[in-house]
Amino acid sequence: MLDPKLLRSDLELVARQLGRRGYTLDTAGLAALEEQRKEIQTRAQNLQAERNARAKAVGQAKAKGEDIAPLLAQSEALGAQLTQAEAELNALQSRIEHAHLQIPNIPDDSVPDGQSDADNVEVRRWGTPRQFDFPVRDHVALGEGFNPANAALDFERAAKLSGARFSVMRGQLARMHRALIQFMLDTHTGEHGYQEVYVPYLVGPQALRGTGQLPKFEEDLFKLRGERELYLIPTAEVPVTNLVTDEIVDAAQLPIRWACHTPCFRSEAGSHGRDIRGLIRQHQFEKVEMVQLVKPEDSMAALEELTGHAEKILQKLGLPYRVVALCAGDMGFSSCKTYDIEVWVPSQETYREISSCSNFRDFQARRMQARYKDAQMKKPELLHTLNGSGLAVGRTLVAILENYQNADGTVTVPEALRPWMGGLTCIG
RNA sequence: GGAGAGGUGGCAGAGUGGUCGAUUGCAUCGGUCUUGAAAACCGACGGCUCCGCGAGGGGCCCGUGAGUUCGAAUCUCACCCUCUCCGCCA
């Protein structure tokens, strides 16, 4: 959510900045709502003040033992007027709030112009894609080939259980999948200063509103049927960031860095036909997420740092990648600046997204009412939130299988991962 | 699932219809004292928001939402959450 004060005071500036996203702000509509609000709120509050004054007078009269009947008679008409005015005000305020919740974050000045992923700007590359002297197999062929009768990567069995976009893994492949999670978590906690957290995988709508998935993107989520309104998390960002909802954090505790492994569940509505084959786009996948809560002045530096933490995983695994600055039109709803990290996928001869690192500034914090304070500050202030994948586990597995494949269909285990694989050097 | 207790400011904990947004303690901040610190003493100290250039003046908030009342932290109802005991269970 943007600062309501800003939306009141400089609507045209906001509209211009949001225009870079390709978003059209309804300035006339918002201004009209605001004008009504002012009028009705003043009226309602005047009536409330009058009610309070009269109630107080009754109390004082009664204490002195005076007759209160005349005072009560005076107040008769007030009640209905007040009820009416309060109802109008409530209705209007919820309309305004609803409108504000639909507005995306303002892109940072450093974000490149552009409308789609074609306009994203490559920031740097690391590593050199390997030259193969044999026909390259994709990860599906490799995984299914490990043991054709009982494939290590088995989409058919998964489909039998759950339909398309699910997977079953077995044996050494399943172990590597698990090893990656441990490796990533251990790296972030051991070398990058993150604290590991464990969180619920089912959350209520208020948490999803806090990070910005609701109210606008409900169709991307899996929602449980039942009495309780619960959703499967689409990313650990939701439960982890929302840990500070309604809290005032002691400034001495900042920056807070949390790393968390969770499964992620996405309906992938609207991506029919894309990435049908393989592990790239699944309804359920594992991810290790990094979340940072920082002081406002530190958030841009923290974004660079956090992106570096994600890159470090790829460097240790020896996987070539590039970092891309998303253009204004390609960024997520809540973000003011995003770097995508894309890993080299040999079978597709292209870089594919494996991490997305974003600074949200105070956009999520305002929705969550997440603030911080130190002794010198008069009032608590909104903190800044950031997050990034570190990394998407399924896609990392894809990258390892394909980049480390051998001519005989086996896959070499990256050296950095071997301690988590019981020393295995090769699988398949 | 059954029975009971409870949700108040950063924390602890008073307050059961009326000048209560709330006594008090701890913590925090400023000051006095001190070579420095501690102790002691003095003072300050919730959040959100509206109108106003400002001085200042209002409104809302005692888990959440409805209700009763001239007036609700206090009464009624529903819901959420926490704790204790019993049952069940990984």
Side-chain angles (χ1 to χ4, degrees), chain A residues 126-156:
Chain A
W126 185 94
T128 311
R130 175 181 158 199
Q131 297 299 310
F132 291 91
D133 53 10
F134 55 87
V136 170
R137 298 176 176 87
D138 78 357
H139 70 280
V140 178
L142 288 160
E144 288 180 343
F146 281 4
N147 179 356
N150 217 359
L153 187 53
D154 189 341
F155 294 103
E156 270 182 51

Side-chain angles (χ1 to χ4, degrees), chain A residues 157-373:
Chain A
R157 265 40 172 274
K160 194 164 66 177
L161 302 172
S162 313
R165 293 204 194 282
F166 286 92
S167 57
V168 167
M169 294 179 222
R170 293 191 182 88
Q172 293 174 330
L173 190 69
R175 182 179 192 179
M176 181 181 273
H177 183 251
R178 174 168 57 88
L180 280 169
I181 295 166
Q182 314 286 30
F183 161 68
M184 290 177 191
L185 276 174
D186 287 350
T187 301
H188 294 313
T189 57
E191 299 175 23
H192 298 153
Y194 289 76
Q195 182 185 45
E196 185 171 347
V197 287
Y198 171 83
V199 294
Y201 303 156
L202 297 172
V203 296
Q206 76 294 337
L208 289 152
R209 206 171 299 124
T211 32
Q213 284 77 13
L214 289 180
K216 240 185 157 177
F217 307 100
E218 175 143 30
E219 67 280 5
D220 296 337
L221 302 168
F222 284 112
K223 185 178 187 179
L224 263 60
R225 301 183 60 134
E227 284 162 42
R228 292 230 254 156
E229 198 177 358
L230 289 171
Y231 297 80
L232 287 163
I233 56 170
T235 160
E237 166 192 359
V238 178
V240 175
T241 310
N242 274 285
L243 287 172
V244 288
T245 292
D246 285 327
E247 301 212 2
I248 299 174
V249 179
D250 182 351
Q253 295 186 349
L254 300 176
I256 292 173
R257 299 188 185 91
W258 278 319
C260 183
H261 155 245
T262 69
C264 303
F265 303 93
R266 300 188 181 177
S267 75
E268 294 297 340
S271 54
H272 303 296
R274 291 178 61 196
D275 302 311
I276 290 301
R277 185 176 164 84
L279 284 174
I280 296 280
R281 192 174 299 276
Q282 300 266 289
H283 287 309
Q284 171 186 325
F285 62 96
E286 305 301 302
K287 184 157 59 67
V288 170
E289 185 79 355
M290 300 172 286
V291 169
Q292 289 205 22
L293 308 171
V294 305
K295 294 181 191 174
E297 62 268 29
D298 298 333
S299 70
M300 274 305 167
L303 176 62
E304 302 298 324
E305 177 195 274
L306 181 144
T307 306
H309 294 154
E311 290 177 63
K312 189 72 184 186
I313 300 292
L314 289 167
Q315 291 170 10
K316 286 189 175 226
L317 292 173
L319 295 168
Y321 67 86
R322 62 174 195 160
V323 178
V324 165
L326 296 196
C327 72
D330 198 32
M331 285 199 312
F333 178 77
S334 303
S335 176
C336 80
K337 181 167 187 174
T338 298
Y339 291 116
D340 272 7
I341 302 175
E342 301 177 339
V343 71
W344 180 253
V345 178
S347 68
Q348 301 183 5
E349 293 191 298
T350 186
Y351 290 96
R352 294 296 309 259
E353 179 187 338
I354 196 166
S355 172
S356 192
C357 302
S358 301
N359 180 5
F360 304 96
R361 288 226 175 91
D362 59 13
F363 187 87
Q364 295 179 326
R366 185 170 294 108
R367 288 169 163 244
M368 298 188 297
Q369 276 307 300
R371 294 167 297 173
Y372 77 101
K373 189 176 189 299

Side-chain angles (χ1 to χ4, degrees), chain A residues 395-413:
Chain A
R395 291 185 181 183
T396 308
L397 192 66
V398 168
I400 290 177
L401 290 176
E402 296 200 7
N403 283 283
Y404 280 87
Q405 64 181 294
N406 303 311
D408 63 358
T410 62
V411 171
T412 302
V413 177

Side-chain angles (χ1 to χ4, degrees), chain A residues 39-61:
Chain A
E39 190 259 310
I40 293 175
Q41 183 162 350
T42 305
R43 184 149 48 85
Q45 293 190 348
N46 285 342
L47 288 167
Q48 286 171 331
E50 198 174 332
R51 176 205 56 196
N52 293 345
R54 289 187 181 181
K56 199 173 247 185
V58 172
Q60 286 169 337

